[in-house]
Amino acid sequence: MAARVIPVDPFDLVIFGATGDLAQRKILPALYRRFAEGQMPAGSRVIGAARTEFDKAGFRAFVDETLTACLDTDPPNPEIRAAFLDALDYVALDARGDQGWTALAALMRPDVVRAFYFSVGPSLFGALAERLGAHGMATPDTRIVVEKPFGHDLTTARALNATLAAHFRETQIYRIDHYLGKETVQNLMAVRFANVLFEPLWNARFIDHVQITVAETVGVGGRGPYYDRAGAMRDMVQNHLMQLLCLIAMEPPYCFDPDAVRDEKLKVIKALDPVARGDIVRGQYAGGAGAASYLDEVENPDSLTESYVALKVGISNWRWKGTPFYLRTGKRLRARASEIAVTFRDPPHSIFGEDAPWKANVLVIRLQPDEGMTLRVMIKEPGPGGMRLKDVALDMSFAEALGDDMHIPDAYERLIMDVIRGNQTLFMRGDEVEAAWAWTDPIIAEWQKTADTPRPYDPGSSGPDDALMLMHRDGRRWREIR
Ligand code: BG6
């Protein structure tokens, strides 16, 4: 089944940092795929802007190589690739200086959608915003796209918000959290609000607990200097896991409108309890079997930064009081597996007797790999011999359900097209980001104050043993990472 392609208006998309890692791995391949699907209308242009002294032909050759290296699907069709490269332009530009800005302004067309993608470090956001304003490019309909990390803590996030607000209105600012662009993450909203089955049960009365897992097999690789300053709490929990938590826990928005959705997410973040010291476990991967340890990879033998974190958090509102949310994420774990598991409470009374083998109903939403959903339900084991109960999985793989040739778009494909459409629903609002930092900051401050040492864990394991205890002591268990 082919995905339905909804056309967008012609656009000029300028990518600052067009030769950087993110542009190569994510942004350019995503644009190519949308072009190949016929979603980029004729006359649209992607304009690279970076320090490298390319001319137009040089940039096109660069992107050609990038596509060969970074497209994880079939090699691009030569005709489509040529047409895509034809839609590219380039300006060599100095973000903090004067070079290139007049040339860029001359390229901009007044009658098409205009977006600037800041695929650069946050230290350049201010300079870019200022120069866009000074050169008359920050028109009222202009959109800017900014990447995470959006700040290092509440203070820096506030300063960044203020810098951007000096030149752009909130409705023009698209803060990316690429988890919101993942198909299954959006499906969370469809599951909750397009079915009557779950919502009546979606509260502390019927849900025992929720587990959110984002496990990775990769280590920090070449991102050591950034990662060692950030750690799993800033890199993953403050943004990606927080967004997942919000989508599970929020009240139904009155409509699927950017502010209606973001208002509800913000209320969840504000209702999060502070996390007690004993409700959080930090880990750091050791080396072993030829694999480098975290300390080796970041080249900092004294680092106290966590590459793993597991925590338990409550939400103080009427819907969730009494239902803990357990979150965990880490690098160099056993498998790449991200999922949300909602475990329901036991029925109030068993008509099958006290000894009946009982397994709670669990709804598992798999984000990656093999996107899909599983609902574990109790049935009678077939055959004579009395009423024996058994739990089985009602399993749905989206690839199977929708057809194997259905291409599930990468998060960036969806998000970039949403920028062009002017739809901010899947982007974080400034107050949301600040609220998330306000919750995260005291946890990190406590670690720093006490020089907390992360627990070592074996690469290829499911994290430090102490994380198991976090659930065991509550009479619960983490789901296996596989
Ligand atoms: C990024 C983090 O935001 O998300 C990385 O900075 C992490 O450390 C990545 O590896 C995970 O994204 P995904 O889409 O591969 O789950």
Side-chain angles (χ1 to χ4, degrees):
M1 192 201 315
R4 201 153 60 90
V5 171
I6 299 172
V8 296
D9 292 330
F11 60 86
D12 279 344
L13 172 67
V14 177
I15 308 173
F16 293 118
T19 54
D21 183 59
L22 181 74
Q24 289 189 56
R25 280 188 308 108
K26 295 290 185 187
I27 305 172
L28 290 163
L31 283 163
Y32 172 79
R33 282 198 217 95
R34 287 295 92 211
F35 183 90
E37 294 276 342
Q39 202 176 27
M40 218 170 116
S44 296
R45 292 180 312 174
V46 175
I47 302 167
R51 289 180 89 125
T52 315
E53 289 289 343
F54 280 137
D55 55 13
K56 200 195 281 194
F59 183 61
R60 287 178 177 175
F62 168 83
V63 175
D64 199 14
E65 275 172 32
T66 295
L67 293 180
T68 307
C70 296
L71 271 177
D72 46 14
T73 47
D74 300 336
N77 167 317
E79 275 165 36
I80 299 179
R81 185 197 290 227
F84 177 69
L85 296 178
D86 227 32
L88 303 181
D89 210 328
Y90 186 79
V91 177
L93 169 139
D94 179 3
R96 294 190 205 272
D98 294 327
Q99 188 212 345
W101 288 97
T102 313
L104 182 62
L107 270 183
M108 295 283 97
R109 298 172 294 172
D111 50 349
V112 298
V113 173
R114 177 181 296 188
F116 296 96
Y117 200 126
F118 291 16
S119 178
V120 295
S123 61
L124 287 180
F125 288 179
L128 292 178
E130 233 159 68
R131 279 163 183 75
L132 285 173
H135 290 270
M137 284 180 271
T139 53
D141 290 335
T142 293
R143 290 143 212 187
I144 59 165
V145 186
V146 293
E147 274 289 337
K148 76 173 263 274
F150 197 85
H152 187 71
D153 52 20
L154 178 58
T155 311
T156 46
R158 274 196 183 134
L160 271 181
N161 275 334
T163 303
L164 296 180
H167 304 277
F168 298 97
R169 281 171 290 119
E170 182 61 35
T171 50
Q172 298 178 273
I173 304 170
Y174 290 71
R175 293 177 197 77
I176 286 211
D177 182 315
H178 78 279
Y179 266 60
L180 289 178
K182 288 184 191 276
E183 197 65 19
T184 323
V185 175
Q186 294 165 56
N187 237 318
L188 264 177
M189 285 186 275
V191 167
R192 283 195 60 193
F193 305 126
N195 298 288
V196 291
L197 273 185
F198 300 110
E199 205 46 32
L201 306 180
W202 211 256
N203 55 54
R205 210 172 138 215
F206 293 101
I207 293 180
D208 177 71
H209 74 279
V210 176
Q211 296 185 26
I212 303 178
T213 301
V214 178
E216 298 185 276
T217 50
V218 292
V220 295
R223 300 164 71 225
Y226 150 75
Y227 193 91
D228 203 35
R229 285 196 66 226
M233 194 71 188
R234 288 190 173 99
D235 185 51
M236 297 293 287
V237 177
Q238 185 272 348
N239 36 75
H240 305 325
L241 277 83
M242 176 75 78
Q243 290 296 321
L244 299 179
L245 171 68
C246 284
L247 296 181
I248 301 169
M250 71 184 182
E251 296 301 314
Y254 72 92
C255 67
F256 196 53
D257 157 277
D259 278 330
V261 172
R262 297 184 301 176
D263 285 347
E264 297 307 334
K265 287 197 292 167
L266 180 62
K267 286 184 208 161
V268 174
I269 305 176
K270 288 190 167 168
L272 289 180
D273 293 339
V275 178
R277 182 77 186 261
D279 286 345
I280 189 158
V281 174
R282 308 166 74 215
Q284 192 184 71
Y285 55 86
S293 69
Y294 176 85
L295 297 178
D296 292 336
E297 285 195 37
V298 300
E299 294 176 13
N300 175 5
D302 303 319
S303 173
L304 295 179
T305 303
E306 77 286 353
S307 59
Y308 174 100
V309 66
L311 62 90
K312 171 183 169 184
V313 63
I315 303 178
S316 281
N317 63 20
W318 274 53
R319 187 187 281 262
W320 291 117
K321 193 77 192 173
T323 294
F325 284 68
Y326 297 90
L327 276 50
R328 65 178 162 166
T329 181
K331 298 206 181 283
R332 282 256 192 278
L333 296 178
R334 179 174 300 149
R336 178 174 189 252
S338 303
E339 62 167 42
I340 295 160
V342 178
T343 300
F344 292 86
R345 293 195 192 280
D346 291 345
H349 166 68
S350 167
I351 65 167
F352 305 108
E354 291 301 311
D355 300 335
W358 204 257
K359 288 263 179 70
N361 297 140
V362 185
L363 175 68
V364 181
I365 299 151
R366 290 189 304 278
L367 308 182
Q368 58 197 24
D370 183 24
E371 293 91 337
M373 268 176 27
T374 302
L375 182 61
R376 296 204 74 92
V377 291
M378 296 299 285
I379 59 160
K380 175 190 170 300
E381 204 176 309
M387 175 62 86
R388 293 186 311 274
L389 298 179
K390 182 180 165 53
D391 93 301
V392 291
L394 299 180
D395 211 351
M396 185 175 86
S397 149
F398 292 155
E400 272 170 35
L402 302 172
D404 274 344
D405 57 342
M406 174 93 180
H407 161 65
I408 296 187
D410 177 76
Y412 279 85
E413 295 178 49
R414 166 70 197 248
L415 294 175
I416 295 171
M417 287 301 121
D418 277 357
V419 173
I420 305 300
R421 282 191 201 100
N423 184 343
Q424 287 186 305
T425 310
L426 299 177
F427 295 83
M428 291 179 299
R429 212 167 52 192
D431 51 1
E432 240 185 291
V433 180
E434 289 184 15
W437 280 122
W439 176 79
T440 316
D441 274 4
I443 300 173
I444 297 175
E446 173 74 12
W447 294 337
Q448 282 168 348
K449 197 171 82 192
T450 56
D452 186 71
T453 309
R455 313 273 177 277
Y457 62 92
D458 290 334
S461 69
S462 40
D465 291 343
D466 289 12
L468 301 179
M469 286 313 297
L470 196 65
M471 293 204 85
H472 279 187
R473 60 172 206 205
D474 294 346
R476 302 184 175 107
R477 295 171 53 171
W478 289 110
R479 288 169 49 80
E480 250 180 77
I481 296 177
R482 47 185 167 156

